[in-house]
Amino acid sequence: KGCPCPGRPLLCGIEALPPLPEEASPGHLSRGHIPSRPCSPSPATPHRHMVRMGFHLSFRSAKKAASESLLVSNPTTSFGYAETFRLLRTRVEYLLNKNGQKTLLIASVAEGEGKTITAANLAVMLSYAGNKVLLIDGNCDTNGNPGLSKLFGITPKDEDCLCARLETGNVSGLPSPEGAKHLRLLPNNDFSGDAADIIVSEKMNKLIRAAREQYDFIIIDTPALCRSGLAEYYAELSDCAVMVVRQGVA
């Protein structure tokens, strides 16, 4: 069918993932591949692909992983938890390389669905494969939530944050999380002014163009769609998107 939401490509082509079989045993990883189905582009909107695949981590494995670390770079992380993101990395890397794409948006409809941890762990796994990866914290939280910086245990300098880098257009010399030498983090210390205007500005476009020249992949973590529409503006800067859905909730 034609795209039901012209001008807003992020949500196009979303379909419910099939449920996991009842016999799937706790503690084991189950994965079902669902081919990518791009929506029909509207005349006024550039074509976007939605990376669609089903990955499932059982409650037992997720609970164990949460008690140790949410990041796969932690050596105590369980094998099943890390393997989930390794499989995701393999699929995403294949699709991006196949289509000559670099910029990937990570989005979710509601808060607490695992969007930020998915963005972080996917970036780490891509860097483990030898790729130069830039992880952008696009979650413009008005409450000052440090997001990815807190997750990686990094206290960024003001000159390394997104607002400052927008002025210079420089994406070199950014902080690197421990244990991921090919990964660079572009943190966010809140936008001053209207965030939507800044995202669609020429400064942001210039920054993304510079990042495309220096990095193999760019991952953008965005606010939940129920709280903010900024993900749709970031979609204009991205080649494709991954929608994170919490099973049994979303």
Side-chain angles (χ1 to χ4, degrees):
K1 297 180 179 179
C3 172
C5 46
R8 297 178 180 269
L10 180 65
L11 298 179
C12 299
I14 298 295
E15 298 176 5
L17 298 180
L20 289 171
E22 295 293 335
E23 62 270 20
S25 58
H28 288 78
L29 181 68
S30 299
R31 179 170 71 96
H33 164 59
I34 301 176
S36 175
R37 290 186 187 174
C39 67
S40 301
S42 64
T45 306
H47 186 66
R48 294 289 184 273
H49 283 80
M50 178 64 66
V51 179
R52 301 176 61 250
M53 61 204 78
F55 286 86
H56 173 258
L57 185 66
S58 75
F59 176 77
R60 182 180 300 176
S61 296
K63 184 177 180 181
K64 180 180 179 182
S67 66
E68 297 171 343
S69 173
L70 290 173
L71 289 172
V72 294
S73 54
N74 190 308
T76 63
T77 299
S78 68
F79 173 80
Y81 183 77
E83 187 65 12
T84 303
F85 290 102
R86 189 173 292 108
L87 291 168
L88 178 62
R89 183 276 311 277
T90 300
R91 182 59 180 159
V92 168
E93 186 177 18
Y94 168 77
L95 289 173
L96 291 177
N97 287 331
K98 177 182 178 181
N99 296 306
Q101 298 169 332
K102 284 192 171 186
T103 308
L104 179 66
L105 179 106
I106 309 295
S108 69
V109 174
E111 293 180 315
E113 294 196 274
K115 167 182 52 60
T116 296
I117 192 61
T118 298
N121 282 332
L122 179 57
V124 169
M125 283 298 186
L126 284 169
S127 72
Y128 281 174
N131 299 296
K132 292 185 292 183
V133 182
L134 176 62
L135 177 58
I136 300 177
D137 189 350
N139 196 346
C140 312
D141 194 336
T142 55
N143 295 322
N145 187 346
L148 288 169
S149 299
K150 181 178 180 180
L151 188 63
F152 283 107
I154 293 175
T155 303
K157 301 176 182 178
D158 289 341
E159 58 265 29
D160 287 334
C161 291
L162 185 54
C163 289
R165 294 294 177 142
L166 282 173
E167 297 300 320
T168 64
N170 180 21
V171 289
S172 300
L174 291 167
S176 178
E178 184 178 357
K181 64 179 182 179
H182 297 299
L183 174 61
R184 294 294 182 270
L185 174 64
L186 181 53
N188 178 32
N189 58 348
D190 292 341
F191 286 144
S192 55
D194 188 279
D197 289 342
I198 295 174
I199 294 170
V200 300
S201 68
E202 179 56 31
K203 290 181 179 179
M204 180 65 83
N205 278 279
K206 181 181 177 181
L207 187 80
I208 296 297
R209 287 196 299 268
R212 286 176 178 272
E213 295 177 0
Q214 297 185 37
Y215 295 91
D216 297 311
F217 298 111
I218 305 158
I219 297 178
I220 306 176
D221 181 36
T222 62
L225 287 164
C226 70
R227 182 169 58 86
S228 169
L230 294 180
E232 299 184 48
Y233 293 101
Y234 278 115
E236 296 299 321
L237 302 171
S238 307
D239 297 318
C240 55
V242 168
M243 179 68 74
V244 179
V245 178
R246 184 177 177 185
Q247 186 180 22
V249 175

